Amino acid sequence: MEFRAGAALPPAAAQNHNSQSAPRPGPAPNAEARRSEALTGRRVLSPAMAAVGAYRCIECSREAAELYRDYQRGVLRISICKSCQKPVDKYIEYDAVIVLINAILCKAQAYRHILFNTKINIHGKLCVFCLLCEAYLRWLQLQDSSQSTDPDDLIRYAKEWDFYRMFGIASLEQTSFLVGIFITLWWMRPEMLKTKSDFFLLLKALLLSSYGKLLLIPAVIWEHDYTPLCLAFIKVFVLISNSQAIRVTLNLNRMLPWLAIFFGLIFENGVVYLFQKTGWDV
């Protein structure tokens, strides 16, 4: 049956036409997030949980409304940034190992993907584990330097007090270092840390970027003549990662993050020196 343009459709045909042209309801936000996680292999923020502008382009750091568009039936298309005309986040289809390798290489794109476009909330546990690694290293060096011929030395070696003391010293130094960084950034760029969310985001970035301290344990287990050099390289790597985290989070140039880290180290050493002057064995 043919119909001319402008002619009215029969009731049955009109009903079929309306049912075909009516937009289908999209998938639920939770279902869409689960489908994305199953296809990309990584957990990203669901559209319902992320407000407009919650994502960031990993190339130009501009805000983006979405990372991908779901065309249903397992078809996903990465969104294009309106500012730089590049994919908003290419890492959502990469394997986690590739992302980790790029983060170790201190690539800004990988840092933006981890900090802005994923749900990673292990910074607290990672901080505690890194402090335990540093405390274990100091405790081991303390035991090696305090050798005694006293037969009760084996009993004192098993005591846990020295390890707890080393953990407290490592926590004090880490806190002083972070406080020095925040004071420097707030003094030079107060507009960067106006809200609590900015503060917590920078704190999360600094804690996550300290993952290099996990290398302290292998450096101690496989001890050799170059262990002090390895420990120095690990310290430098952690500082470089912290600088990149500050730069990516606050969208700064390269000079200001290094200046903040420099003052953080000065503040850390100053606090340790002050405790030593008061009689504490730090």
Side-chain angles (χ1 to χ4, degrees), residues 113-175:
H113 166 77
I114 295 173
L115 293 175
F116 298 115
N117 299 337
T118 60
K119 285 183 60 179
I120 297 181
N121 295 318
I122 61 171
H123 50 282
K125 297 178 181 179
L126 181 63
C127 176
V128 174
F129 193 73
C130 290
L131 291 176
L132 289 174
C133 294
E134 193 169 355
Y136 175 75
L137 174 63
R138 298 186 180 195
W139 177 78
L140 194 62
Q141 293 174 345
L142 178 65
Q143 301 302 326
D144 292 339
S145 61
S146 60
Q147 296 180 357
S148 175
T149 57
D150 191 346
D152 294 335
D153 184 63
L154 294 177
I155 300 177
R156 286 198 296 271
Y157 186 85
K159 289 184 178 180
E160 299 178 358
W161 171 250
D162 287 336
F163 178 78
Y164 295 147
R165 185 165 60 89
M166 293 299 106
F167 181 81
I169 294 173
S171 302
L172 174 65
E173 292 181 355
Q174 178 74 12
T175 304

Side-chain angles (χ1 to χ4, degrees), residues 177-207:
F177 176 68
L178 294 177
V179 169
I181 290 177
F182 279 107
I183 291 177
T184 305
L185 293 175
W186 181 81
W187 177 55
M188 293 187 171
R189 295 288 183 87
E191 69 277 2
M192 293 291 182
L193 300 173
K194 295 185 296 184
T195 62
K196 290 184 178 180
S197 60
D198 298 333
F199 172 83
F200 285 116
L201 180 60
L202 181 57
L203 179 61
K204 175 183 177 180
L206 289 171
L207 295 180

Side-chain angles (χ1 to χ4, degrees), residues 57-62 80-88:
C57 174
I58 63 173
E59 301 293 341
C60 63
S61 192
R62 294 299 180 90
I80 302 299
C81 178
K82 297 180 180 179
S83 178
C84 63
Q85 301 301 318
K86 294 181 180 180
V88 174

Side-chain angles (χ1 to χ4, degrees), residues 209-268:
S209 62
S210 300
Y211 66 93
K213 293 182 179 180
L214 300 177
L215 299 174
L216 293 173
I217 296 301
V220 173
I221 293 177
W222 291 287
E223 187 176 1
H224 48 77
D225 297 336
Y226 298 100
T227 298
L229 183 61
C230 293
L231 297 179
F233 277 130
I234 292 173
K235 180 67 174 179
V236 173
F237 174 74
V238 172
L239 294 179
I240 293 175
S241 301
N242 291 336
S243 172
Q244 188 73 321
I246 298 174
R247 175 172 170 260
V248 167
T249 305
L250 302 181
N251 199 20
L252 301 173
N253 54 17
R254 297 181 182 273
M255 183 61 65
L256 187 56
W258 278 111
L259 189 61
I261 288 177
F262 176 73
F263 280 105
L265 293 174
I266 293 178
F267 191 80
E268 173 188 342

